[in-house]
Amino acid sequence: MPEAPVQPVHHLVTSGVFALDGGEWPVENNVWIVGDDRSAVVIDAAHDHERIARALGDRELMAVVCTHAHNDHVNAAVELADLCDAPILLHPDDGVLWHRVHPDREPDAPLLQGEVLQAGGVELEVLHTPGHTPGGVCLHAPSLGAVFTGDTLFQGGPGATGRSFSDFPTIIGSIRDRLLGLPPETAVHTGHGPSTTIGEEAPHLQEWIDRGY
C-alpha cells in the first residue's frame, strides 16, 4: 500500500517543567510541526528533542521557530537545531529570557512582524504579539486556516501576565489588534491545552478585560 500523505500540521505533547521567578511547575506543552513530506518547521521545541526529531522523520527541518522564550518553549531548541542543522528563530525582544535558558548560544535569526516563513508548501506570517513576553509572536497560516498562538491566546482567554516581563494591557492589545481580526473560522493552535477558533474567543474580549486576566 502507498504511504499515507504527511499532514501539513503534526501535533505532539511533551512534558517537563516551567521555571520562572524562582518557581517551578510541571507542564505539558504543544509542539507543532508544520510543512509537507519533504520539509517542515517546528514551532516551540519543548522538553524532548529526540521525540520531536522522530516525529520529523526524514524531512528537512527548515527552522526551529520560538513563539517566545520561556524555558518550557525553548529548552529543546538548541539540541534539536544542532541535531538537524537548522536555524533557531526568535523575536529579539525575548533575548533576555532566551539567555536565561541558553546563556552561551544566540538565536540564528530574528522573527519580525510581517515576515513570511516557508514551511514546506505552507506560508507562515509572523505576528508580533507582546504581552505574555515582550517578544511573543503568533504564526498565521492562511492556507491552513490556522494560527499558532504560543501562549498569547488560549481557549478561554489570554496567556498569563502575572510574572516578570509580562503585561496584561499589552496582551489584550495584541489579541485585539493582531488576532481577532482573522477570519472567525481560523483554528487557534495553542502552546498548551486544546485548540479553539477565533470565532469562539472573539466575543469574550470585554469579559477578559473586565476580569483583568
Side-chain angles (χ1 to χ4, degrees), residues 2-206:
E3 290 188 10
V6 172
Q7 296 300 308
V9 179
H10 183 89
H11 175 217
L12 294 176
V13 177
T14 59
S15 300
V17 173
F18 168 54
L20 189 66
D21 295 341
E24 293 189 349
W25 301 267
V27 68
E28 292 190 335
N29 285 63
N30 294 327
V31 179
W32 302 96
I33 302 174
V34 182
D36 57 23
D37 58 359
R38 295 179 300 278
S39 60
V41 301
V42 166
I43 299 173
D44 288 346
H47 307 306
D48 190 342
H49 77 283
E50 292 179 343
R51 186 166 169 228
I52 299 168
R54 287 195 297 271
L56 273 167
D58 59 3
R59 289 180 285 178
E60 180 183 3
L61 180 59
M62 304 303 295
V64 178
V65 182
C66 308
T67 63
H68 63 293
H70 281 156
N71 75 294
D72 58 316
H73 290 257
V74 301
N75 55 9
V78 169
E79 288 174 305
L80 181 66
D82 288 349
L83 179 66
C84 299
D85 191 24
I88 297 168
L89 310 183
L90 176 73
H91 194 283
D93 288 354
D94 264 15
V96 171
L97 284 164
W98 169 268
H99 287 117
R100 290 183 172 192
V101 186
H102 300 293
D104 301 319
R105 173 71 173 266
E106 297 292 332
D108 296 291
L111 289 170
L112 301 175
Q113 166 66 27
E115 180 182 3
V116 177
L117 308 178
Q118 295 291 330
V122 177
E123 290 190 343
L124 295 167
E125 181 185 2
V126 177
L127 307 175
H128 182 211
T129 54
H132 182 67
T133 67
V137 304
C138 299
L139 299 143
H140 180 216
S143 67
L144 302 180
V147 61
F148 300 87
T149 57
D151 288 3
T152 294
L153 178 62
F154 293 103
Q155 183 183 67
T161 53
R163 301 193 178 99
S164 297
F165 304 101
S166 64
D167 183 74
F168 180 71
T170 300
I171 203 171
I172 286 292
S174 293
I175 292 169
R176 181 188 60 233
D177 299 339
R178 302 279 196 217
L179 297 180
L180 297 189
L182 299 176
E185 66 274 14
T186 303
V188 175
H189 295 317
T190 63
H192 309 272
S195 295
T196 181
T197 68
I198 293 295
E200 289 173 3
E201 302 307 319
H204 302 288
L205 178 65
Q206 189 60 48

